[in-house]
Amino acid sequence: MTEAREDVRRDDRYATREKYASLVGIRRQARQNLSDQVWNYMHCGTGDEVTARANVSAFDAYVFETPLFAGISNPDTGTRVLGRDLSFPAFTAPFGGGETLFHPDGMLAVGRAAHAAGIAQMVPVAAGHSLEEVAGASPAAAVFQMTFCGEETAVIDMMHRAKAAGYGHICVTYSPIRQWRERMMEDRFSMPGAGTPSNFGPGKSDDAMLRELLDFTRPRWDWAKAARVIAEAPLPCIVKGVNSRVDARAALKAGAVGLYVSNYGGRTLDREPASITTLAEVRDEAGPDVPIVFDSGIRRGSDIATALALGADAVCLGRIAALGLAADGEAGVKRTLDLLRDEFWTTLGHLGCSRVSDLSPAVFRSMP
Ligand SMILES: Cc1cc2nc3c(=O)[nH]c(=O)nc-3n(C[C@H](O)[C@H](O)[C@H](O)COP(=O)(O)O)c2cc1C
């Protein structure tokens, strides 16, 4: 019996010399590396965290149809979105205001890994490294995210800085009031020095724009003011936080060249709908030609296929990329991206999609 067993050829499809065999090990390592406080900061939502959980679980309701013999063995995962060639349809999401707590190289590591994996990066204004430092670290830095607040001229000045540094698009966000994050309240979490954003003046805490960003008694913005700034912007703008037909219409009317469907991973207001459930409505309103990126709940390659089938041109990777950063810096993000791309590739193959543009609602057997 023993001899016979030795003859059995081992199936080594899953054997790998890589440090992390799958995303499970990356998550495990990230958990080991982070304190409870920082882990909670990464994962928290708001209120009861219903939306943060629903963002992930809502994907389960989209069930694929896989007709026998329809699958193919060599799908092409490449695409082009917002003027960037991508090895698979993904950007790293703008996650800031503490990402250097996950790893001191923060957005520098994320950008280098994105470049090595052949995708592009969205860089937050609240990053621990300046927008110029991140752009200098890798050519992946494609989109600069900034929150609309303060004086219009200061916002436009910052956009000029982003253009001079080589970014191709601005991602506009807005937040009228602070968020109710109970895990952080319970942890009495306060951002240590390492989490201080670098994009502001030398004294930072004296910088008028940073003060505005953190001061929620500031004057509100509205679509008219947003439209004025978008019209004067030196770079094309996409608007993040579009989760309805009404907002899609308003953002396009205000001059946005693209839409970003997201509820910020459930970190803004609890009991908003899971983002994946609003995507098809936004695509329907925008029509076929407006670029749409999507995030909130992407955890694996098949989630990317689901979002594209429902109308996204690409996804943004938030917590899943942050876990790679926390596990192993640049190498951890790179491995995360490679695993996501490879699973997306197998998903396309099983669905019989030879290219990204073949994904449509026809891949589903049932939808909620
Ligand atoms: C730790 C952390 C910090 C974030 N900071 C920002 C930010 O500065 N600007 C922004 O637009 N979104 C920010 N986000 C939201 C992400 O860009 C993205 O929308 C969200 O992570 C997507 O949800 P998911 O992580 O569940 O996929 C942050 C998210 C996390 C987890």
Side-chain angles (χ1 to χ4, degrees), residues 41-42 93-96 102 124 126 145 173 240 260 262 264-265 267 295-299 318-319:
Y41 166 67
M42 185 193 287
F95 55 94
F102 307 153
Q145 173 265 318
T173 60
K240 180 172 178 180
Y260 188 156
S262 169
Y264 297 80
R267 294 168 79 82
D295 77 24
S296 297
I298 298 287
R299 296 292 178 272
R319 290 182 184 89

Side-chain angles (χ1 to χ4, degrees), residues 162-207:
K163 182 175 183 192
Y167 293 84
H169 285 80
I170 299 288
C171 164
V172 171
T173 60
Y174 183 65
S175 182
I177 194 165
R178 78 187 175 93
Q179 300 85 10
W180 196 259
R181 296 180 180 165
E182 283 187 352
R183 280 205 235 189
M184 290 169 66
M185 292 156 77
E186 194 56 25
D187 284 345
R188 295 172 163 76
F189 183 89
S190 77
M191 196 63 75
T196 310
S198 288
N199 274 318
F200 305 95
K204 286 178 196 158
S205 58
D206 304 334
D207 187 283

Side-chain angles (χ1 to χ4, degrees), residues 34 98-107 109 129 324-330:
L34 299 183
E99 82 292 355
T100 48
L101 302 175
F102 307 153
H103 188 280
D105 293 343
M107 281 295 133
H129 297 91
L325 180 64
D328 222 342
E330 178 185 340

Side-chain angles (χ1 to χ4, degrees), residues 148-157 208-209 212 219 221 225 229:
F148 271 3
C149 67
E151 295 296 321
E152 291 173 39
T153 50
V155 171
I156 290 167
D157 285 352
M209 199 168 177
E212 284 273 358
W221 279 53
K225 192 165 167 180
V229 171

Side-chain angles (χ1 to χ4, degrees), residues 3-361:
E3 292 91 321
R5 277 216 183 126
E6 276 166 14
D7 277 350
V8 172
R9 288 187 43 199
R10 287 190 56 228
D11 177 350
D12 61 1
R13 272 175 303 177
Y14 300 109
T16 175
R17 287 176 182 280
E18 292 281 352
K19 187 168 171 189
Y20 302 104
S22 81
L23 294 171
V24 174
I26 293 180
R27 183 183 169 85
R28 191 186 307 126
Q29 186 64 53
R31 183 65 194 94
Q32 276 172 23
N33 292 355
L34 299 183
S35 67
D36 290 351
Q37 273 196 338
V38 175
W39 178 261
N40 281 336
Y41 166 67
M42 185 193 287
H43 285 96
C44 70
T46 47
D48 286 318
E49 305 192 346
V50 171
T51 298
R53 285 191 299 277
N55 277 339
V56 178
S57 62
F59 277 89
D60 295 349
Y62 297 86
V63 178
F64 293 127
E65 175 88 24
T66 51
L68 266 174
F69 302 115
I72 54 154
S73 59
N74 58 345
D76 178 359
T77 59
T79 187
R80 188 174 169 80
V81 182
L82 298 177
R84 288 293 189 129
D85 290 322
L86 307 171
S87 70
F88 70 107
F91 292 77
T92 55
F95 55 94
E99 82 292 355
T100 48
L101 302 175
F102 307 153
H103 188 280
D105 293 343
M107 281 295 133
L108 308 180
V110 172
R112 290 180 185 128
H115 179 58
I119 64 163
Q121 179 188 24
M122 299 205 186
V123 177
V125 66
H129 297 91
S130 71
L131 66 94
E132 289 85 2
E133 285 175 287
V134 183
S138 93
V143 178
F144 183 62
Q145 173 265 318
M146 41 186 311
T147 304
F148 271 3
C149 67
E151 295 296 321
E152 291 173 39
T153 50
V155 171
I156 290 167
D157 285 352
M158 183 81 88
M159 290 176 171
H160 279 283
R161 257 179 77 187
K163 182 175 183 192
Y167 293 84
H169 285 80
I170 299 288
C171 164
V172 171
T173 60
Y174 183 65
S175 182
I177 194 165
R178 78 187 175 93
Q179 300 85 10
W180 196 259
R181 296 180 180 165
E182 283 187 352
R183 280 205 235 189
M184 290 169 66
M185 292 156 77
E186 194 56 25
D187 284 345
R188 295 172 163 76
F189 183 89
S190 77
M191 196 63 75
T196 310
S198 288
N199 274 318
F200 305 95
K204 286 178 196 158
S205 58
D206 304 334
D207 187 283
M209 199 168 177
L210 180 57
R211 270 206 314 272
E212 284 273 358
L213 201 59
L214 301 173
D215 172 13
F216 290 108
T217 62
R218 67 197 181 209
R220 285 180 51 223
W221 279 53
D222 55 25
W223 279 117
K225 192 165 167 180
R228 271 202 309 278
V229 171
I230 289 172
E232 276 189 57
L235 289 172
C237 295
I238 65 172
V239 173
K240 180 172 178 180
V242 172
N243 295 307
S244 68
R245 203 174 274 289
V246 171
D247 274 354
R249 200 176 308 141
L252 294 172
K253 189 165 162 237
V257 301
L259 305 176
Y260 188 156
V261 174
S262 169
N263 60 28
Y264 297 80
R267 294 168 79 82
T268 303
L269 178 66
D270 206 17
R271 310 229 175 99
E272 288 184 294
S275 277
I276 195 67
T277 65
T278 69
L279 176 55
E281 169 181 331
V282 172
R283 169 54 76 197
D284 187 54
E285 180 64 32
D289 299 328
V290 174
I292 295 182
V293 295
F294 168 87
D295 77 24
S296 297
I298 298 287
R299 296 292 178 272
R300 55 171 59 261
S302 55
D303 297 340
I304 302 175
T306 299
L308 265 75
L310 290 168
D313 293 296
V315 301
C316 299
L317 306 169
R319 290 182 184 89
I320 194 70
L323 285 168
L325 180 64
D328 222 342
E330 178 185 340
V333 180
K334 168 72 166 46
R335 182 68 178 140
T336 300
L337 300 179
D338 288 348
L339 285 162
L340 288 168
R341 186 196 50 237
D342 290 354
E343 190 193 355
F344 176 64
W345 176 76
T346 65
T347 308
L348 284 185
H350 282 287
L351 292 174
C353 297
S354 13
R355 58 189 74 80
V356 161
S357 56
D358 289 347
L359 286 163
S360 77

